[in-house]
Amino acid sequence: MTLSAVVPVKGFERAKSRLAPMLGERARAELAGALFERVLAALLAAPGVARVLVVSDSDAVLERAAQAGATTRRDAARGGLGRIVDAALAELDGARALVVMSDLPLITVEDIALVTSSAAPVVIAPDERGEGTNALALPLPPPFATAFGAADSARRHRALAPGAAVVRSPGLAFDLDEPADLAELERRRGAPVAGRAGPPAPVRGR
């Protein structure tokens, strides 16, 4: 069964604005780029993923994705994250799609397999709070418009697909948005994040 992955990514220079109290602009851009590379590497190495499509309005993001071996699509959708994802899904061929957020610092190939190996038609990987959706697998063509961008997207996806499987793992659940997340990542990794001291170690291995 052919499965394509979609990764929506904003320009690194505009990412992680909520981390401004702890990281400068350059450090935030470097961190966003490193997080993206971690997610992209896991998807490209995952046996069940035939194609990785990176969607962005940033030339720098698209160039980096292409160099890594992903296919790219310039974000032409107007509106929020949900519309961007839905527009990308509408162009995919194959049987299934997997949407993955680009800010998962602990994600591994094994985490991807948790989602792709499920027999359920729809698979939801919520964040640690159970509110947002960090990964979503669904059939093609999509049976519903996604709820990405909504603060309670995980609940909305469960309502849209009552029989969906819900999978949880640290690599899928832990995303990096708030200053508290940055401190928690440093605690889990035992290493500082870029811009505070040293290189961006959190995304280079488990």
Side-chain angles (χ1 to χ4, degrees), residues 37-57:
E37 288 181 353
R38 170 110 188 191
V39 171
L40 185 58
L43 287 167
L44 289 169
V49 178
R51 174 192 180 199
V52 180
L53 173 63
V54 174
V55 184
S56 181
D57 61 355

PDB file of all heavy atoms in Angstrom, residues 37-57:
ATOM      1  N   GLU A  37      14.952  19.013   9.935  1.00  0.00           N
ATOM      2  CA  GLU A  37      15.863  17.993   9.411  1.00  0.00           C
ATOM      3  C   GLU A  37      15.673  16.668  10.128  1.00  0.00           C
ATOM      4  O   GLU A  37      15.770  15.592   9.524  1.00  0.00           O
ATOM      5  CB  GLU A  37      17.308  18.469   9.522  1.00  0.00           C
ATOM      6  CG  GLU A  37      17.661  19.569   8.536  1.00  0.00           C
ATOM      7  CD  GLU A  37      19.093  20.019   8.649  1.00  0.00           C
ATOM      8  OE1 GLU A  37      19.797  19.564   9.601  1.00  0.00           O
ATOM      9  OE2 GLU A  37      19.530  20.808   7.800  1.00  0.00           O
ATOM     10  N   ARG A  38      15.413  16.716  11.420  1.00  0.00           N
ATOM     11  CA  ARG A  38      15.196  15.480  12.186  1.00  0.00           C
ATOM     12  C   ARG A  38      13.936  14.760  11.692  1.00  0.00           C
ATOM     13  O   ARG A  38      13.954  13.552  11.452  1.00  0.00           O
ATOM     14  CB  ARG A  38      15.060  15.809  13.668  1.00  0.00           C
ATOM     15  CG  ARG A  38      14.591  14.639  14.522  1.00  0.00           C
ATOM     16  CD  ARG A  38      15.665  14.144  15.411  1.00  0.00           C
ATOM     17  NE  ARG A  38      15.302  12.919  16.101  1.00  0.00           N
ATOM     18  CZ  ARG A  38      15.993  12.410  17.089  1.00  0.00           C
ATOM     19  NH1 ARG A  38      17.071  13.033  17.518  1.00  0.00           N
ATOM     20  NH2 ARG A  38      15.639  11.281  17.661  1.00  0.00           N
ATOM     21  N   VAL A  39      12.845  15.507  11.544  1.00  0.00           N
ATOM     22  CA  VAL A  39      11.588  14.919  11.075  1.00  0.00           C
ATOM     23  C   VAL A  39      11.761  14.379   9.657  1.00  0.00           C
ATOM     24  O   VAL A  39      11.335  13.256   9.341  1.00  0.00           O
ATOM     25  CB  VAL A  39      10.460  15.959  11.131  1.00  0.00           C
ATOM     26  CG1 VAL A  39       9.203  15.435  10.431  1.00  0.00           C
ATOM     27  CG2 VAL A  39      10.142  16.324  12.577  1.00  0.00           C
ATOM     28  N   LEU A  40      12.393  15.157   8.799  1.00  0.00           N
ATOM     29  CA  LEU A  40      12.576  14.747   7.412  1.00  0.00           C
ATOM     30  C   LEU A  40      13.429  13.493   7.316  1.00  0.00           C
ATOM     31  O   LEU A  40      13.110  12.565   6.555  1.00  0.00           O
ATOM     32  CB  LEU A  40      13.216  15.895   6.623  1.00  0.00           C
ATOM     33  CG  LEU A  40      13.379  15.691   5.119  1.00  0.00           C
ATOM     34  CD1 LEU A  40      12.032  15.424   4.470  1.00  0.00           C
ATOM     35  CD2 LEU A  40      14.052  16.906   4.489  1.00  0.00           C
ATOM     36  N   ALA A  41      14.495  13.423   8.093  1.00  0.00           N
ATOM     37  CA  ALA A  41      15.369  12.250   8.067  1.00  0.00           C
ATOM     38  C   ALA A  41      14.619  11.002   8.515  1.00  0.00           C
ATOM     39  O   ALA A  41      14.784   9.915   7.927  1.00  0.00           O
ATOM     40  CB  ALA A  41      16.587  12.485   8.953  1.00  0.00           C
ATOM     41  N   ALA A  42      13.784  11.120   9.546  1.00  0.00           N
ATOM     42  CA  ALA A  42      13.014   9.966  10.025  1.00  0.00           C
ATOM     43  C   ALA A  42      12.046   9.478   8.959  1.00  0.00           C
ATOM     44  O   ALA A  42      11.908   8.268   8.725  1.00  0.00           O
ATOM     45  CB  ALA A  42      12.270  10.323  11.303  1.00  0.00           C
ATOM     46  N   LEU A  43      11.391  10.402   8.277  1.00  0.00           N
ATOM     47  CA  LEU A  43      10.434  10.018   7.248  1.00  0.00           C
ATOM     48  C   LEU A  43      11.122   9.397   6.039  1.00  0.00           C
ATOM     49  O   LEU A  43      10.649   8.405   5.479  1.00  0.00           O
ATOM     50  CB  LEU A  43       9.609  11.230   6.814  1.00  0.00           C
ATOM     51  CG  LEU A  43       8.557  11.707   7.813  1.00  0.00           C
ATOM     52  CD1 LEU A  43       8.028  13.079   7.423  1.00  0.00           C
ATOM     53  CD2 LEU A  43       7.421  10.706   7.910  1.00  0.00           C
ATOM     54  N   LEU A  44      12.234   9.977   5.624  1.00  0.00           N
ATOM     55  CA  LEU A  44      12.946   9.452   4.460  1.00  0.00           C
ATOM     56  C   LEU A  44      13.508   8.060   4.725  1.00  0.00           C
ATOM     57  O   LEU A  44      13.675   7.263   3.798  1.00  0.00           O
ATOM     58  CB  LEU A  44      14.070  10.410   4.055  1.00  0.00           C
ATOM     59  CG  LEU A  44      13.616  11.736   3.427  1.00  0.00           C
ATOM     60  CD1 LEU A  44      14.788  12.699   3.316  1.00  0.00           C
ATOM     61  CD2 LEU A  44      12.990  11.496   2.053  1.00  0.00           C
ATOM     62  N   ALA A  45      13.792   7.761   5.982  1.00  0.00           N
ATOM     63  CA  ALA A  45      14.351   6.451   6.336  1.00  0.00           C
ATOM     64  C   ALA A  45      13.279   5.426   6.686  1.00  0.00           C
ATOM     65  O   ALA A  45      13.583   4.237   6.812  1.00  0.00           O
ATOM     66  CB  ALA A  45      15.313   6.600   7.514  1.00  0.00           C
ATOM     67  N   ALA A  46      12.032   5.859   6.841  1.00  0.00           N
ATOM     68  CA  ALA A  46      10.960   4.953   7.273  1.00  0.00           C
ATOM     69  C   ALA A  46      10.577   4.005   6.135  1.00  0.00           C
ATOM     70  O   ALA A  46      10.239   4.457   5.038  1.00  0.00           O
ATOM     71  CB  ALA A  46       9.749   5.751   7.721  1.00  0.00           C
ATOM     72  N   PRO A  47      10.605   2.697   6.360  1.00  0.00           N
ATOM     73  CA  PRO A  47      10.309   1.731   5.297  1.00  0.00           C
ATOM     74  C   PRO A  47       8.921   1.860   4.697  1.00  0.00           C
ATOM     75  O   PRO A  47       8.711   1.572   3.526  1.00  0.00           O
ATOM     76  CB  PRO A  47      10.475   0.375   5.999  1.00  0.00           C
ATOM     77  CG  PRO A  47      11.354   0.646   7.172  1.00  0.00           C
ATOM     78  CD  PRO A  47      11.011   2.044   7.602  1.00  0.00           C
ATOM     79  N   GLY A  48       7.941   2.281   5.469  1.00  0.00           N
ATOM     80  CA  GLY A  48       6.571   2.335   4.955  1.00  0.00           C
ATOM     81  C   GLY A  48       6.235   3.593   4.182  1.00  0.00           C
ATOM     82  O   GLY A  48       5.116   3.734   3.686  1.00  0.00           O
ATOM     83  N   VAL A  49       7.179   4.521   4.054  1.00  0.00           N
ATOM     84  CA  VAL A  49       6.906   5.802   3.394  1.00  0.00           C
ATOM     85  C   VAL A  49       7.548   5.808   2.013  1.00  0.00           C
ATOM     86  O   VAL A  49       8.767   5.715   1.876  1.00  0.00           O
ATOM     87  CB  VAL A  49       7.443   6.980   4.231  1.00  0.00           C
ATOM     88  CG1 VAL A  49       7.206   8.308   3.521  1.00  0.00           C
ATOM     89  CG2 VAL A  49       6.776   6.992   5.608  1.00  0.00           C
ATOM     90  N   ALA A  50       6.718   5.917   0.975  1.00  0.00           N
ATOM     91  CA  ALA A  50       7.222   5.870  -0.391  1.00  0.00           C
ATOM     92  C   ALA A  50       7.699   7.238  -0.882  1.00  0.00           C
ATOM     93  O   ALA A  50       8.581   7.326  -1.740  1.00  0.00           O
ATOM     94  CB  ALA A  50       6.141   5.338  -1.326  1.00  0.00           C
ATOM     95  N   ARG A  51       7.133   8.293  -0.347  1.00  0.00           N
ATOM     96  CA  ARG A  51       7.430   9.648  -0.831  1.00  0.00           C
ATOM     97  C   ARG A  51       7.237  10.626   0.298  1.00  0.00           C
ATOM     98  O   ARG A  51       6.310  10.477   1.097  1.00  0.00           O
ATOM     99  CB  ARG A  51       6.496   9.992  -1.994  1.00  0.00           C
ATOM    100  CG  ARG A  51       6.585  11.423  -2.513  1.00  0.00           C
ATOM    101  CD  ARG A  51       5.420  11.696  -3.439  1.00  0.00           C
ATOM    102  NE  ARG A  51       5.435  13.050  -3.983  1.00  0.00           N
ATOM    103  CZ  ARG A  51       4.381  13.663  -4.505  1.00  0.00           C
ATOM    104  NH1 ARG A  51       3.229  13.039  -4.573  1.00  0.00           N
ATOM    105  NH2 ARG A  51       4.471  14.896  -4.980  1.00  0.00           N
ATOM    106  N   VAL A  52       8.100  11.623   0.365  1.00  0.00           N
ATOM    107  CA  VAL A  52       7.953  12.696   1.349  1.00  0.00           C
ATOM    108  C   VAL A  52       7.786  14.007   0.592  1.00  0.00           C
ATOM    109  O   VAL A  52       8.646  14.393  -0.205  1.00  0.00           O
ATOM    110  CB  VAL A  52       9.167  12.780   2.296  1.00  0.00           C
ATOM    111  CG1 VAL A  52       8.964  13.920   3.303  1.00  0.00           C
ATOM    112  CG2 VAL A  52       9.391  11.467   3.012  1.00  0.00           C
ATOM    113  N   LEU A  53       6.677  14.681   0.842  1.00  0.00           N
ATOM    114  CA  LEU A  53       6.378  15.957   0.199  1.00  0.00           C
ATOM    115  C   LEU A  53       6.464  17.063   1.238  1.00  0.00           C
ATOM    116  O   LEU A  53       5.731  17.054   2.231  1.00  0.00           O
ATOM    117  CB  LEU A  53       4.976  15.922  -0.410  1.00  0.00           C
ATOM    118  CG  LEU A  53       4.439  17.245  -0.980  1.00  0.00           C
ATOM    119  CD1 LEU A  53       5.295  17.716  -2.148  1.00  0.00           C
ATOM    120  CD2 LEU A  53       2.983  17.100  -1.403  1.00  0.00           C
ATOM    121  N   VAL A  54       7.353  18.009   1.021  1.00  0.00           N
ATOM    122  CA  VAL A  54       7.504  19.163   1.907  1.00  0.00           C
ATOM    123  C   VAL A  54       6.794  20.351   1.276  1.00  0.00           C
ATOM    124  O   VAL A  54       7.038  20.693   0.114  1.00  0.00           O
ATOM    125  CB  VAL A  54       8.986  19.482   2.152  1.00  0.00           C
ATOM    126  CG1 VAL A  54       9.140  20.781   2.953  1.00  0.00           C
ATOM    127  CG2 VAL A  54       9.663  18.329   2.876  1.00  0.00           C
ATOM    128  N   VAL A  55       5.912  20.973   2.040  1.00  0.00           N
ATOM    129  CA  VAL A  55       5.121  22.108   1.563  1.00  0.00           C
ATOM    130  C   VAL A  55       5.541  23.354   2.337  1.00  0.00           C
ATOM    131  O   VAL A  55       5.504  23.363   3.568  1.00  0.00           O
ATOM    132  CB  VAL A  55       3.616  21.852   1.763  1.00  0.00           C
ATOM    133  CG1 VAL A  55       2.806  23.000   1.184  1.00  0.00           C
ATOM    134  CG2 VAL A  55       3.208  20.532   1.133  1.00  0.00           C
ATOM    135  N   SER A  56       5.937  24.397   1.608  1.00  0.00           N
ATOM    136  CA  SER A  56       6.402  25.607   2.281  1.00  0.00           C
ATOM    137  C   SER A  56       6.300  26.799   1.339  1.00  0.00           C
ATOM    138  O   SER A  56       6.275  26.633   0.108  1.00  0.00           O
ATOM    139  CB  SER A  56       7.859  25.439   2.738  1.00  0.00           C
ATOM    140  OG  SER A  56       8.320  26.599   3.411  1.00  0.00           O
ATOM    141  N   ASP A  57       6.259  27.991   1.919  1.00  0.00           N
ATOM    142  CA  ASP A  57       6.322  29.214   1.126  1.00  0.00           C
ATOM    143  C   ASP A  57       7.734  29.793   1.131  1.00  0.00           C
ATOM    144  O   ASP A  57       7.960  30.907   0.662  1.00  0.00           O
ATOM    145  CB  ASP A  57       5.326  30.246   1.656  1.00  0.00           C
ATOM    146  CG  ASP A  57       5.601  30.645   3.105  1.00  0.00           C
ATOM    147  OD1 ASP A  57       6.510  30.054   3.725  1.00  0.00           O
ATOM    148  OD2 ASP A  57       4.895  31.536   3.629  1.00  0.00           O
TER     149      ASP A  57
END
